[in-house]
Amino acid sequence: MPRKNKFFKLPSLGNPLYSRRGQSLVEALVALSFLTVGFMAVFSLLSRSLSLNRSSTESYVATYIAAEGIEIARNIVDTNGIQKNAWSYGFSGGSGDYEAEYNSRSLSPNQDRFLTYNPNSHIYGYGGSIQTPFKRLIRVTFVSQYEMKINSIVFWTGLGGGSFRVNLEDHFMNWRT
Amino acid sequence: MKKNLHKKNRGFTLVEIMVSLGIFSVAMLLVVGGFIRSLRTERQSSAFTYVNNNMSIVIEQMAREIRTGFNFCINGNSCPSSSVLSFVNSSGNTITYCLENGAVNRIIGSNCIPGQEITSSKVSIDYLTFIISGNQDDDGYPPRVTVLIGAKPKDQSSSMYNVNFQTTVSSRIIGA
């Protein structure tokens, strides 16, 4: 018989208390795979936050481009006030879809084209060399003889393939006459 | 007797230790590498958020002030370059917006001197351009100011990300 050791008891197969077998390979693999899945989740969360950030940047840019559409329409209405034209002069096409650039003096029929970016002048318009994902539509609706509704809508397809839009609305009245 | 004891408690061999250490270090490398990458991603995304927030506030502030402003680059408000905009705001003060040291400055006065920086030092402004039309007194058009501004994070590791903004503001003060 082996001498009893006071400091560490040797495992013996007969005694159930000491028959701990340790981990098997399968157990270790399962534990590791749980760990891996956990880390993957954290990592994909972070890269998703990065892509969402880009997506929010696109929304910011689109919002200001849409605001530009409203301001162009407002500018044309104010021009009519200064030049003593009919208040809706330049909107003579009536209700419909139009497009305009930052320096347009009138709206032109919508051609459903992408806005472009000019890397030298930094201008978003229709003559630049880089195509942007944005399309801008200025929708004019005559609510009555004295009121027109302008919607400046920017559409784009995000990096993930989702389609987004910003729709700003303003109403202009024939208050000068 | 002694041989039996030895068999039951063999311990690790050198090879086993080396193999397990190898597996462990590979696993740790993967984990630590992933962790470092995620830290970098987090830093980038917060840098992008800084850019978005700064652009939003600076465009909003300029647009609001331009909307109620007049005398754009005329009547003593000289705009020596297209990145300087001087005008009179709704309180009658002469205001100048310009690009100085990579930040947008708002100056009370008509000269582009270092004034109040209204963008963060964490954001570097690539360009600030104003396109002005209809600003002359008798040209028959209301003032129209197009603001072009591009920015990127100052942090070099995420500076490949730059964003270009454009908006147009039509002044409500149309004179006439």
Side-chain angles (χ1 to χ4, degrees):
Chain A
M1 282 295 289
R3 193 162 51 87
K4 286 260 182 192
N5 192 320
K6 278 183 184 163
F7 299 104
F8 53 92
K9 289 181 176 139
L10 299 171
S12 82
L13 287 172
N15 188 342
L17 204 60
Y18 296 127
S19 67
R20 292 186 292 182
R21 279 172 47 248
Q23 291 168 302
S24 73
L25 185 63
V26 176
E27 283 168 345
L29 280 175
V30 168
L32 269 177
S33 65
F34 273 123
L35 205 69
T36 315
V37 167
F39 268 104
M40 295 270 277
V42 169
F43 191 65
S44 72
L45 201 70
L46 274 161
S47 67
R48 178 134 177 80
S49 90
L50 198 67
S51 70
L52 277 176
N53 235 302
R54 300 216 158 209
S55 169
S56 78
T57 301
E58 285 181 335
S59 299
Y60 273 109
V61 174
T63 305
Y64 289 112
I65 289 176
E68 180 177 85
I70 294 283
E71 294 286 322
I72 292 166
R74 146 82 65 176
N75 197 266
I76 294 170
V77 172
D78 285 349
T79 303
N80 293 336
I82 294 177
Q83 298 186 353
K84 311 275 192 285
N85 295 324
W87 75 290
S88 60
Y89 185 82
F91 298 88
S92 49
S95 299
D97 292 347
Y98 299 90
E99 65 177 30
E101 285 187 277
Y102 74 100
N103 57 355
S104 300
R105 290 294 177 202
S106 61
L107 303 177
S108 46
N110 177 38
Q111 295 179 44
D112 195 33
R113 26 181 197 167
F114 288 102
L115 285 166
T116 59
Y117 175 73
N118 183 328
N120 300 315
S121 63
H122 310 298
I123 293 171
Y124 285 92
Y126 291 113
S129 55
I130 299 173
Q131 184 184 301
T132 69
F134 304 110
K135 279 182 185 174
R136 181 173 59 203
L137 172 72
I138 300 174
R139 179 164 288 158
V140 178
T141 315
F142 279 89
V143 178
S144 74
Q145 200 182 338
Y146 307 105
E147 178 183 1
M148 68 168 121
K149 182 178 85 167
I150 306 286
N151 287 85
S152 178
I153 312 169
V154 173
F155 304 87
W156 75 101
T157 303
L159 289 171
S163 46
F164 299 87
R165 70 151 74 184
V166 171
N167 185 345
L168 301 183
E169 181 174 316
D170 206 344
H171 292 245
F172 299 129
M173 312 285 176
N174 180 18
W175 58 271
R176 284 195 178 87
T177 53
Chain B
M1 200 75 85
K2 201 170 184 191
K3 206 174 178 185
N4 191 17
L5 180 88
H6 188 67
K7 236 180 200 168
K8 272 189 174 168
N9 189 21
R10 273 174 51 244
F12 303 110
T13 66
L14 185 63
V15 176
E16 281 169 345
I17 287 209
M18 284 179 72
V19 167
S20 60
L21 269 181
I23 293 175
F24 180 73
S25 56
V26 167
M28 281 313 281
L29 267 178
L30 288 176
V31 168
V32 170
F35 186 64
I36 289 175
R37 264 170 72 190
S38 62
L39 277 184
R40 192 179 304 148
T41 311
E42 194 275 330
R43 206 168 53 216
Q44 280 183 352
S45 83
S46 75
F48 298 167
T49 311
Y50 264 121
V51 172
N52 286 344
N53 289 343
N54 270 276
M55 287 301 94
S56 164
I57 198 163
V58 77
I59 294 176
E60 208 61 47
Q61 179 173 356
M62 287 194 291
R64 276 164 191 265
E65 205 158 23
I66 291 169
R67 202 165 280 145
T68 52
F70 56 95
N71 280 353
F72 294 94
C73 297
I74 55 160
N75 297 341
N77 301 323
S78 65
C79 302
S81 78
S82 64
S83 67
V84 180
L85 179 72
S86 288
F87 61 98
V88 179
N89 73 0
S90 57
S91 341
N93 298 319
T94 300
I95 301 295
T96 301
Y97 284 104
C98 67
L99 188 60
E100 187 80 23
N101 300 326
V104 178
N105 280 251
R106 179 180 181 270
I107 300 119
I108 300 176
S110 59
N111 293 315
C112 181
I113 48 171
Q116 177 85 51
E117 291 190 357
I118 55 173
T119 49
S120 160
S121 57
K122 290 179 181 169
V123 175
S124 120
I125 309 294
D126 285 334
Y127 61 87
L128 172 69
T129 307
F130 299 101
I131 303 171
I132 303 150
S133 71
N135 56 328
Q136 302 300 323
D137 278 335
D138 48 2
D139 58 5
Y141 290 105
R144 187 190 287 196
V145 180
T146 301
V147 181
L148 313 170
I149 184 164
K152 63 179 179 231
K154 197 159 263 177
D155 176 21
Q156 285 303 310
S157 69
S158 39
S159 62
M160 75 294 176
Y161 166 95
N162 53 351
V163 54
N164 309 301
F165 282 92
Q166 168 175 335
T167 199
T168 294
V169 185
S170 173
S171 176
R172 306 306 192 243
I173 315 293
I174 58 173

